[in-house]
Amino acid sequence: MRITALAGGVGGARFLRGLRRHLDTLPDGPHELTIIGNTGDDITLFGLRVCPDLDTLLYTLGGGVHEQQGWGRADETFAVQHELAAYEVPPQWFGLGDQDFGTHIARSLWLGQGMPLSRVTARLAERWGLPGQHVRLLPMTDTPVETHVVVEEGEEQRAMHFQEWWVRYQAQLPAVRFVVAGMDHAVAGPGVLDAIRQADVVLLPPSNPVVSIGIILTVPGVRDALRGTNAPVVGVCPLVGGAPVRGHADVCLEAIGIDVTPAGVAGLYTDFLDGWLVDERDAGAPVAGLRVRACPLLMTDVDAAAAMGAAALELAMDLRKAA
Amino acid sequence: MRITALAGGVGGARFLRGLRRHLDTLPDGPHELTIIGNTGDDITLFGLRVCPDLDTLLYTLGGGVHEQQGWGRADETFAVQHELAAYEVPPQWFGLGDQDFGTHIARSLWLGQGMPLSRVTARLAERWGLPGQHVRLLPMTDTPVETHVVVEEGEEQRAMHFQEWWVRYQAQLPAVRFVVAGMDHAVAGPGVLDAIRQADVVLLPPSNPVVSIGIILTVPGVRDALRGTNAPVVGVCPLVGGAPVRGHADVCLEAIGIDVTPAGVAGLYTDFLDGWLVDERDAGAPVAGLRVRACPLLMTDVDAAAAMGAAALELAMDLRKAA
């Protein structure tokens, strides 16, 4: 079975780690998991290229993530960052650990040698054992793109990098809209469109629908591939009881004028979504044109995430039979 | 008093730290110390620009050096390097600590922004308090240059970066000659030639006469400035009892056909050297055309280095009176 998922950072990574565990329990394996990762969060810091969502996916699936934090490396030290602060190198609002710097230095070196991000990511993924798990991690595009947030300051509007808005200002500055710098000349990364077209199942993990999944959907060809694929497309709602489990999906949805409800989020995907998994406490409200199913959507541990993966997959299988 | 010194890494840095301490005890201060640092050792590792001699000078004069080792930072950790090894990024023969990486990341960032190495070095030196000590550290050139070593392998000759020869092979591969890639279009760094011409005293610390001092002497204009300056030029012999105190000066001297003796080393500087400080156990042998003086030349601690600095300065003063 070939499963393709679109994913942002922490929520997507935790869901996919659970799904991967569930897949290993199924017969007729190994089942292949292809992840199309958001690169809109990517940022150049201290001259190094940082890919927060790809790294969270690598570290989480590879067993190196800081479990409580959800991103970054376990058992981190911060000597490099301390030195950069001593040299007064901005920015000082983005926390990078020493082990994490190792990843960014390796990536920047290889990018500087002319290697595309997809190949760089594959090399990083080897160290984290993804090929051995039958997981491919594909950046949504090899073109450098960056999500910027247009914010209102009094009568003025100004744009800042998504990470500055998210990390430095904790999404508290009023966002007017999100724009992806570089997307006008971006092309989908190698294998990305085929992974959607040739999948047996396509999943949308509970990633941020605006700044993670929403950004991947703006990559030329991705939305068309989702509309055209024969695979059932099942989404996992990132809201539980009317609020995001973590992150600031509510703020992002409000910024683009979407109701902070499971139906509101599903409305962003109506042209290609077949099934929609919502939390038990959000059950009952039908969403037009969709098979909606309810189950617990709190990823309290890997087992809970595995159960969510199983439920999403089961819904997809039912949709295949129904088709 | 304006003192200008040419310097390599560990030996030069220890001598100059001692000299700086001695200068602070003299009347009519503050006395200005300008250091012209060797950049031939510079190397790009992991995509980052590393300047071993400049960093050793910064760390030693700034109080951050690993005292026993003589280079690198005290209390280092090695998380970044460990990660780069896990990602199988070569080379794995050059040890860089996490704090040290902070320096290289800052430097590479600023160089990448178009800042010349001299300005980058001045910014790094601010953090290490050099301006407050009345010390200026000038790279010998802003032009990227690299010392390469031509070695014999059977019937063949091949060139490798000086650091590879020095660190990886511990100077054990037979060297035929040293060449400085990039020197044919290099120009002396800002202030370098004036610092020699306008000095009251010029000193050569006990740095490697071939691959440290010798490389600085190949920067266009430097040798002429030394010949032309009115300041007495006093050198401190890097050999004690016929052998280098540390490093591989003997191997370097033999490679270029020079006797491993105080007279042999002084012979490299005959066209501009006025005074020559040798160790007590090397006293007695006159060197043609030079005022030779003997004193203990083992830098067992900062006090010993300060005494050497005092002796070198005293010899220079005597030469000024004599002139």
Side-chain angles (χ1 to χ4, degrees):
Chain A
M1 191 164 49
R2 290 161 303 178
I3 298 162
T4 296
L6 280 52
V10 183
R14 285 180 170 167
F15 173 80
L16 292 168
R17 180 174 56 177
L19 176 69
R20 180 66 263 172
R21 177 179 294 191
H22 172 67
L23 288 175
D24 292 337
T25 68
L26 297 183
D28 307 322
H31 303 289
E32 306 287 335
L33 176 58
T34 300
I35 305 169
I36 299 169
N38 172 40
T39 61
D41 294 14
D42 293 6
I43 187 167
T44 300
L45 293 169
F46 315 114
L48 302 171
R49 193 68 177 163
V50 179
C51 301
D53 283 357
L54 298 183
D55 288 342
T56 297
L57 289 158
L58 288 171
Y59 297 162
T60 304
L61 287 156
V65 78
H66 186 297
E67 201 59 52
Q68 289 71 45
Q69 193 171 250
W71 51 271
R73 296 285 305 277
D75 307 314
E76 263 295 20
T77 51
F78 294 88
V80 175
Q81 173 123 325
H82 179 271
E83 290 305 301
L84 290 168
Y87 287 124
E88 299 181 11
V89 183
Q92 292 177 21
W93 47 263
F94 201 95
L96 294 178
D98 294 331
Q99 296 174 93
D100 210 12
F101 263 108
T103 302
H104 310 317
I105 291 170
R107 174 189 292 120
S108 301
L109 170 68
W110 293 331
L111 288 172
Q113 289 170 348
M115 209 181 282
L117 182 63
S118 51
R119 179 71 201 113
V120 168
T121 305
R123 278 188 75 164
L124 297 173
E126 277 172 37
R127 178 262 170 97
W128 292 106
L130 268 55
Q133 298 181 42
H134 304 279
V135 174
R136 286 193 305 159
L137 175 58
L138 309 180
M140 65 184 194
T141 176
D142 276 340
T143 315
V145 296
E146 289 189 344
T147 303
H148 291 185
V149 186
V150 180
V151 299
E152 262 179 346
E153 292 187 323
E155 308 259 304
E156 304 280 290
Q157 292 192 348
R158 71 181 177 103
M160 65 179 68
H161 193 286
F162 171 75
Q163 293 292 351
E164 186 172 6
W165 181 72
W166 189 263
V167 176
R168 183 179 190 181
Y169 296 110
Q170 295 289 308
Q172 295 305 300
L173 295 184
V176 180
R177 64 184 178 278
F178 304 92
V179 292
V180 189
M183 193 60 94
D184 51 347
H185 57 270
V187 292
V192 164
L193 300 182
D194 280 348
I196 297 171
R197 292 180 188 129
Q198 296 164 8
D200 297 306
V201 172
V202 174
L203 297 179
L204 306 186
S207 292
N208 189 305
V210 182
V211 296
S212 294
I213 305 281
I215 301 300
I216 302 174
L217 293 177
T218 67
V219 175
V222 165
R223 198 158 196 129
D224 277 342
L226 286 163
R227 287 191 193 112
T229 184
N230 286 323
V233 181
V234 169
V236 180
C237 184
L239 304 174
V240 169
V245 178
R246 59 173 287 153
H248 314 286
D250 47 349
V251 177
C252 298
L253 287 165
E254 283 161 3
I256 62 166
I258 300 293
D259 284 349
V260 185
T261 62
V265 176
L268 293 168
Y269 310 138
T270 40
D271 51 332
F272 59 80
L273 196 67
D274 302 303
W276 190 227
L277 209 59
V278 300
D279 187 71
E280 291 173 316
R281 71 197 80 172
D282 298 309
V287 183
L290 283 184
R291 180 84 69 91
V292 180
R293 191 172 290 175
C295 74
L297 290 192
L298 286 180
M299 293 186 281
T300 43
D301 56 22
V302 182
D303 287 337
M308 281 168 59
L313 215 54
E314 197 182 330
L315 177 52
M317 292 299 134
D318 291 350
L319 286 159
R320 280 183 84 181
K321 279 180 215 154
Chain B
M1 193 164 45
R2 291 161 303 179
I3 298 162
T4 296
L6 278 53
V10 182
R14 285 180 171 167
F15 173 80
L16 292 168
R17 180 175 56 176
L19 175 69
R20 180 66 262 173
R21 178 181 292 190
H22 172 67
L23 288 174
D24 292 338
T25 67
L26 297 184
D28 307 321
H31 303 289
E32 306 287 335
L33 175 59
T34 299
I35 304 168
I36 300 169
N38 171 39
T39 61
D41 294 14
D42 294 5
I43 186 167
T44 300
L45 293 170
F46 316 115
L48 301 171
R49 193 67 178 163
V50 179
C51 300
D53 283 356
L54 298 182
D55 288 343
T56 297
L57 289 159
L58 287 172
Y59 298 162
T60 303
L61 286 156
V65 77
H66 186 297
E67 201 59 51
Q68 289 71 43
Q69 193 170 251
W71 51 271
R73 296 286 305 277
D75 306 314
E76 264 295 19
T77 52
F78 295 87
V80 174
Q81 175 124 325
H82 179 270
E83 290 305 302
L84 290 169
Y87 287 124
E88 298 180 12
V89 182
Q92 292 175 23
W93 48 263
F94 201 95
L96 294 178
D98 294 331
Q99 297 174 95
D100 209 13
F101 263 109
T103 302
H104 310 317
I105 291 170
R107 172 188 291 122
S108 302
L109 171 68
W110 293 331
L111 288 173
Q113 290 169 348
M115 209 180 282
L117 182 63
S118 51
R119 179 74 201 112
V120 167
T121 305
R123 278 188 75 165
L124 297 173
E126 278 173 35
R127 179 262 169 98
W128 292 107
L130 268 55
Q133 298 181 42
H134 303 279
V135 174
R136 286 193 306 159
L137 175 58
L138 309 180
M140 65 184 195
T141 176
D142 277 340
T143 314
V145 296
E146 289 189 345
T147 304
H148 291 186
V149 186
V150 179
V151 299
E152 259 178 350
E153 291 187 323
E155 308 260 303
E156 304 279 290
Q157 292 192 349
R158 71 180 176 102
M160 64 179 68
H161 193 287
F162 170 75
Q163 292 292 350
E164 187 172 6
W165 182 73
W166 189 264
V167 176
R168 184 179 189 181
Y169 296 109
Q170 295 289 307
Q172 295 307 300
L173 295 184
V176 181
R177 62 183 179 278
F178 303 93
V179 292
V180 190
M183 193 59 93
D184 50 346
H185 57 272
V187 293
V192 164
L193 300 182
D194 281 348
I196 297 171
R197 292 180 188 130
Q198 297 165 7
D200 297 306
V201 172
V202 174
L203 298 179
L204 306 186
S207 292
N208 189 305
V210 183
V211 296
S212 295
I213 306 281
I215 301 300
I216 302 174
L217 294 178
T218 67
V219 175
V222 164
R223 198 158 196 129
D224 277 341
L226 286 163
R227 288 191 193 112
T229 185
N230 286 323
V233 181
V234 169
V236 181
C237 184
L239 304 175
V240 170
V245 177
R246 59 173 288 153
H248 314 286
D250 46 349
V251 177
C252 298
L253 287 165
E254 282 161 4
I256 62 167
I258 299 293
D259 284 349
V260 186
T261 61
V265 176
L268 293 168
Y269 310 139
T270 39
D271 50 333
F272 59 80
L273 196 67
D274 303 302
W276 191 227
L277 209 60
V278 300
D279 187 71
E280 292 173 316
R281 71 197 81 173
D282 298 310
V287 183
L290 282 183
R291 180 84 68 92
V292 180
R293 191 171 290 174
C295 73
L297 289 190
L298 285 180
M299 293 187 281
T300 44
D301 56 21
V302 182
D303 286 338
M308 281 168 58
L313 214 54
E314 197 184 330
L315 176 53
M317 291 300 134
D318 291 350
L319 285 159
R320 280 184 82 180
K321 279 179 215 154

